[in-house]
Amino acid sequence: MATSEYENSENLDKMGANLARIEALTQRLVAAFAKKQPQRQDLQGPDPALYMSAATAYWTEMIKNPSKVLESQVEYWGKTLKHFVEAQEALRGGTLAAPEDHTPDDKRFANPLWKTHPYFNYIKQQYTLSSQAIEKAIADIETLNPREKTRLEFFGKQILDMMAPTNFLSTNPDALMKAVETEGESLVLGLENLVRDIEANNGELLVTLADREAFKVGGNIGTSEGAVVYRNRMFELIQYKAQTEQVHETPLLIFPPWINKFYILDLKAQNSLIKWTTEQGYTVFIVSWINPDASYADVGMDTYVEEGFLEAIAKVKEICNVKTINTIGYCIAGTTLSLTLALMNKRKDKSIKSATFFTALTDFSDQGETGVFLDNDFVDGIEAEAREHGYLRAYYMTKTFSYLRSNDLIYGPAIRSYMLGEAPPAFDLLYWNGDGANLPGRMVVEYLRDLCQSNKFCEDGYVLLGETVKISDVKVPVCSVACETDHIAAWPSCFRGVAQMGSTNKTFILSESGHIAGIVNPPSKKKYGHYTSDAPIADPETWLADADYTEGSWWPRWESWLRERSGKMIPARDLPDEVLAPAPGTYVVAKPQG
């Protein structure tokens, strides 16, 4: 009896402590939400006109072909009613068991209770049947134009994913079991995680994907030895220490995207492309872009080319005392490198020996999955936001890219953090993913309007620093690396851009995996393979049908290509005696405002 009273007292004390924590957290939550700034509604979702068009098209088809619509409705009603009857029969038999489940496997419903427990299985099957019916109804709409239909399919899927029963405490068996096992502690920890995220984002809810305390740029990530050898208002130029006694005469300059930070190519020693390349005998430089604020409002694409690309190329030539260099452009920096190469061709500037593109779009005629965000409803909102503040906050880019993989980058992490009370994992790639940068106002509008929407570089020509340049003006030898499951830069679009370049020397490599994992794919991991082909670079599907698959990383194959264009071996270059800062420099650790 004494033991029981002691346990009851202990439980009451624990409950009281948890209630006190909840009260304190609730006060913090209210205070955090009070900091939330008004949001532009045109950046929260597509124009309501999209749904009006869909509704009009649906009812038009019902009037024209009522039997088709009614047939779909009756099919849905029949499936849901049949499942309801089966569930009732199972319960009437006196056994607490779920009826037979023929719904497809889904990693969200991995807990065995989704299949065996009548309550959870009933919810899961009804959700799946309803989702299938809605997706079929959208697919059967025939009078919407293809672009509207693609957008409706995407945003319809977003709504369905958001309404999944796993996203709600009362219908998530993992969360309920964890709450019982921990006597509610997991829910308190989840509330703490929720409050922390809202406080960190000034009242906005943006789930933390990785432990922010586990990594430090220059401490345990971005640690390759080097130094900042030049700096202007746009970038810091980092030169890395040679890892071999001799190096190729032609240096390599890497232009990373300025949407995120350059250390994606130098996360840790085991997967650092920078370290690996220096170990192959190259003098490697990389540009570390400034994280802009409102003072950069008038910086445009031309500024990035003139004060960024052209300036960095000139400095590398000067430092290494060479006439030509090799270059890499990743993502948006690959797009801009192609513009720069076209301009240099117009100016008869022969400074570039070769160019490598990583997941770089130059032809935007097929925008892929990101195209759903490139209609005027979103772009108008982005333009208004950029003009008001002088820049586009990193928050918007992070949020947009997360919705391309919402179950992996939004709902899954939110469940683990807020419902299960788990701490974010110490995962370097996800840490980098959350370390975004702002975009200058003029630049982001020019990029979206002139390149993404109007596709001027591939069509009428893009006006850049007094010259009208086209993709056919890119004449240097090129190697393009695209990724098979890339959600941001679809590989067929990358391929079509290369096909239109004026170079007579083109190589295309298709890596397995996505936009990041397909590029950060060191040979030591032996994880993702790649495709290559001697077929003409003309049609992507024809090229792929002829391609050979090779297990393992594409890095060694690319290095062989680069080696042929990198000149003789010379004694390794030392870092300059006078440098501005050790790598990774100062710009990379500057935090975005807003």
Side-chain angles (χ1 to χ4, degrees), residues 251-255 313 325-329 337 341 352-357 562:
L252 176 66
L253 172 58
I254 304 173
F255 293 102
I313 290 167
I325 69 171
N326 291 315
T327 53
I328 295 175
L337 176 59
L341 294 171
I352 304 302
K353 212 171 190 179
S354 75
T356 298
F357 300 106
L562 183 66

mmCIF file of all heavy atoms in Angstrom, residues 251-255 313 325-329 337 341 352-357 562:
data_model
loop_
_atom_site.group_PDB
_atom_site.id
_atom_site.type_symbol
_atom_site.label_atom_id
_atom_site.label_comp_id
_atom_site.label_asym_id
_atom_site.label_seq_id
_atom_site.Cartn_x
_atom_site.Cartn_y
_atom_site.Cartn_z
ATOM 1 N N PRO A 251 43.889 25.734 -63.687
ATOM 2 C CA PRO A 251 43.116 25.675 -62.433
ATOM 3 C C PRO A 251 41.631 25.463 -62.697
ATOM 4 O O PRO A 251 41.133 25.641 -63.816
ATOM 5 C CB PRO A 251 43.381 27.036 -61.797
ATOM 6 C CG PRO A 251 43.656 27.945 -62.956
ATOM 7 C CD PRO A 251 44.342 27.102 -63.994
ATOM 8 N N LEU A 252 40.926 25.083 -61.639
ATOM 9 C CA LEU A 252 39.487 24.821 -61.706
ATOM 10 C C LEU A 252 38.766 25.798 -60.785
ATOM 11 O O LEU A 252 39.071 25.889 -59.597
ATOM 12 C CB LEU A 252 39.191 23.387 -61.274
ATOM 13 C CG LEU A 252 37.712 22.987 -61.194
ATOM 14 C CD1 LEU A 252 37.068 23.008 -62.577
ATOM 15 C CD2 LEU A 252 37.576 21.598 -60.559
ATOM 16 N N LEU A 253 37.785 26.520 -61.329
ATOM 17 C CA LEU A 253 36.990 27.490 -60.570
ATOM 18 C C LEU A 253 35.547 27.003 -60.494
ATOM 19 O O LEU A 253 34.909 26.759 -61.524
ATOM 20 C CB LEU A 253 37.056 28.862 -61.239
ATOM 21 C CG LEU A 253 36.127 29.953 -60.686
ATOM 22 C CD1 LEU A 253 36.375 30.215 -59.208
ATOM 23 C CD2 LEU A 253 36.290 31.251 -61.504
ATOM 24 N N ILE A 254 35.040 26.869 -59.277
ATOM 25 C CA ILE A 254 33.681 26.367 -59.053
ATOM 26 C C ILE A 254 32.751 27.513 -58.669
ATOM 27 O O ILE A 254 33.047 28.294 -57.756
ATOM 28 C CB ILE A 254 33.662 25.306 -57.931
ATOM 29 C CG1 ILE A 254 34.636 24.164 -58.261
ATOM 30 C CG2 ILE A 254 32.258 24.755 -57.735
ATOM 31 C CD1 ILE A 254 34.797 23.165 -57.115
ATOM 32 N N PHE A 255 31.630 27.596 -59.378
ATOM 33 C CA PHE A 255 30.573 28.562 -59.055
ATOM 34 C C PHE A 255 29.393 27.796 -58.454
ATOM 35 O O PHE A 255 28.657 27.129 -59.185
ATOM 36 C CB PHE A 255 30.118 29.324 -60.295
ATOM 37 C CG PHE A 255 31.149 30.248 -60.876
ATOM 38 C CD1 PHE A 255 31.863 29.873 -62.017
ATOM 39 C CD2 PHE A 255 31.409 31.472 -60.311
ATOM 40 C CE1 PHE A 255 32.816 30.718 -62.561
ATOM 41 C CE2 PHE A 255 32.357 32.330 -60.847
ATOM 42 C CZ PHE A 255 33.068 31.952 -61.977
ATOM 43 N N ILE A 313 36.805 34.908 -62.575
ATOM 44 C CA ILE A 313 37.627 34.310 -63.637
ATOM 45 C C ILE A 313 38.928 35.095 -63.799
ATOM 46 O O ILE A 313 40.027 34.523 -63.881
ATOM 47 C CB ILE A 313 36.831 34.269 -64.961
ATOM 48 C CG1 ILE A 313 35.694 33.242 -64.852
ATOM 49 C CG2 ILE A 313 37.747 33.943 -66.141
ATOM 50 C CD1 ILE A 313 34.666 33.338 -65.965
ATOM 51 N N ILE A 325 41.245 28.914 -67.871
ATOM 52 C CA ILE A 325 40.881 28.110 -66.696
ATOM 53 C C ILE A 325 39.702 27.211 -67.056
ATOM 54 O O ILE A 325 39.009 27.427 -68.066
ATOM 55 C CB ILE A 325 40.520 28.981 -65.479
ATOM 56 C CG1 ILE A 325 39.190 29.723 -65.722
ATOM 57 C CG2 ILE A 325 41.628 29.963 -65.161
ATOM 58 C CD1 ILE A 325 38.654 30.424 -64.481
ATOM 59 N N ASN A 326 39.441 26.205 -66.213
ATOM 60 C CA ASN A 326 38.242 25.372 -66.315
ATOM 61 C C ASN A 326 37.231 25.818 -65.268
ATOM 62 O O ASN A 326 37.607 26.349 -64.210
ATOM 63 C CB ASN A 326 38.595 23.900 -66.119
ATOM 64 C CG ASN A 326 39.407 23.340 -67.263
ATOM 65 O OD1 ASN A 326 39.093 23.567 -68.433
ATOM 66 N ND2 ASN A 326 40.479 22.618 -66.949
ATOM 67 N N THR A 327 35.953 25.593 -65.552
ATOM 68 C CA THR A 327 34.903 26.095 -64.660
ATOM 69 C C THR A 327 33.847 25.025 -64.397
ATOM 70 O O THR A 327 33.633 24.114 -65.199
ATOM 71 C CB THR A 327 34.199 27.318 -65.270
ATOM 72 O OG1 THR A 327 33.750 26.989 -66.591
ATOM 73 C CG2 THR A 327 35.124 28.516 -65.328
ATOM 74 N N ILE A 328 33.169 25.190 -63.259
ATOM 75 C CA ILE A 328 31.985 24.397 -62.912
ATOM 76 C C ILE A 328 30.895 25.374 -62.485
ATOM 77 O O ILE A 328 31.153 26.322 -61.746
ATOM 78 C CB ILE A 328 32.250 23.429 -61.737
ATOM 79 C CG1 ILE A 328 33.280 22.365 -62.119
ATOM 80 C CG2 ILE A 328 30.960 22.740 -61.290
ATOM 81 C CD1 ILE A 328 33.666 21.449 -60.956
ATOM 82 N N GLY A 329 29.664 25.119 -62.927
ATOM 83 C CA GLY A 329 28.507 25.891 -62.476
ATOM 84 C C GLY A 329 27.424 24.943 -61.990
ATOM 85 O O GLY A 329 27.017 24.026 -62.707
ATOM 86 N N LEU A 337 26.495 30.662 -65.535
ATOM 87 C CA LEU A 337 27.759 30.385 -66.223
ATOM 88 C C LEU A 337 27.535 30.277 -67.731
ATOM 89 O O LEU A 337 28.340 30.776 -68.525
ATOM 90 C CB LEU A 337 28.382 29.095 -65.686
ATOM 91 C CG LEU A 337 29.670 28.621 -66.377
ATOM 92 C CD1 LEU A 337 30.770 29.677 -66.285
ATOM 93 C CD2 LEU A 337 30.141 27.300 -65.770
ATOM 94 N N LEU A 341 29.384 32.470 -70.500
ATOM 95 C CA LEU A 341 30.131 31.882 -71.617
ATOM 96 C C LEU A 341 29.651 32.442 -72.951
ATOM 97 O O LEU A 341 30.458 32.706 -73.863
ATOM 98 C CB LEU A 341 29.988 30.362 -71.596
ATOM 99 C CG LEU A 341 30.621 29.647 -70.407
ATOM 100 C CD1 LEU A 341 30.211 28.181 -70.397
ATOM 101 C CD2 LEU A 341 32.140 29.771 -70.449
ATOM 102 N N ILE A 352 38.035 30.689 -70.977
ATOM 103 C CA ILE A 352 37.498 29.433 -70.458
ATOM 104 C C ILE A 352 37.852 28.283 -71.397
ATOM 105 O O ILE A 352 37.523 28.290 -72.577
ATOM 106 C CB ILE A 352 35.971 29.511 -70.276
ATOM 107 C CG1 ILE A 352 35.620 30.686 -69.364
ATOM 108 C CG2 ILE A 352 35.438 28.204 -69.704
ATOM 109 C CD1 ILE A 352 36.260 30.636 -67.999
ATOM 110 N N LYS A 353 38.511 27.290 -70.814
ATOM 111 C CA LYS A 353 38.925 26.114 -71.570
ATOM 112 C C LYS A 353 37.798 25.091 -71.664
ATOM 113 O O LYS A 353 37.620 24.424 -72.690
ATOM 114 C CB LYS A 353 40.147 25.492 -70.881
ATOM 115 C CG LYS A 353 41.134 24.824 -71.800
ATOM 116 C CD LYS A 353 42.391 24.465 -71.007
ATOM 117 C CE LYS A 353 43.498 24.011 -71.929
ATOM 118 N NZ LYS A 353 44.720 23.678 -71.149
ATOM 119 N N SER A 354 37.049 24.929 -70.565
ATOM 120 C CA SER A 354 35.910 24.001 -70.550
ATOM 121 C C SER A 354 34.957 24.408 -69.440
ATOM 122 O O SER A 354 35.328 25.125 -68.508
ATOM 123 C CB SER A 354 36.374 22.562 -70.325
ATOM 124 O OG SER A 354 36.733 22.360 -68.969
ATOM 125 N N ALA A 355 33.731 23.918 -69.565
ATOM 126 C CA ALA A 355 32.711 24.195 -68.547
ATOM 127 C C ALA A 355 31.992 22.907 -68.182
ATOM 128 O O ALA A 355 31.599 22.136 -69.064
ATOM 129 C CB ALA A 355 31.711 25.224 -69.050
ATOM 130 N N THR A 356 31.832 22.696 -66.883
ATOM 131 C CA THR A 356 31.035 21.575 -66.372
ATOM 132 C C THR A 356 29.788 22.150 -65.711
ATOM 133 O O THR A 356 29.866 23.121 -64.961
ATOM 134 C CB THR A 356 31.828 20.754 -65.342
ATOM 135 O OG1 THR A 356 32.988 20.204 -65.971
ATOM 136 C CG2 THR A 356 30.986 19.615 -64.799
ATOM 137 N N PHE A 357 28.651 21.539 -66.012
ATOM 138 C CA PHE A 357 27.382 21.979 -65.428
ATOM 139 C C PHE A 357 26.837 20.884 -64.523
ATOM 140 O O PHE A 357 26.735 19.725 -64.932
ATOM 141 C CB PHE A 357 26.360 22.303 -66.518
ATOM 142 C CG PHE A 357 26.785 23.401 -67.455
ATOM 143 C CD1 PHE A 357 27.190 23.101 -68.751
ATOM 144 C CD2 PHE A 357 26.785 24.717 -67.049
ATOM 145 C CE1 PHE A 357 27.592 24.106 -69.618
ATOM 146 C CE2 PHE A 357 27.189 25.726 -67.903
ATOM 147 C CZ PHE A 357 27.585 25.418 -69.196
ATOM 148 N N LEU A 562 37.968 15.939 -67.440
ATOM 149 C CA LEU A 562 38.600 17.197 -67.057
ATOM 150 C C LEU A 562 40.107 17.143 -67.270
ATOM 151 O O LEU A 562 40.723 18.125 -67.706
ATOM 152 C CB LEU A 562 38.274 17.510 -65.588
ATOM 153 C CG LEU A 562 38.807 18.833 -65.035
ATOM 154 C CD1 LEU A 562 38.140 20.019 -65.723
ATOM 155 C CD2 LEU A 562 38.592 18.901 -63.519
#
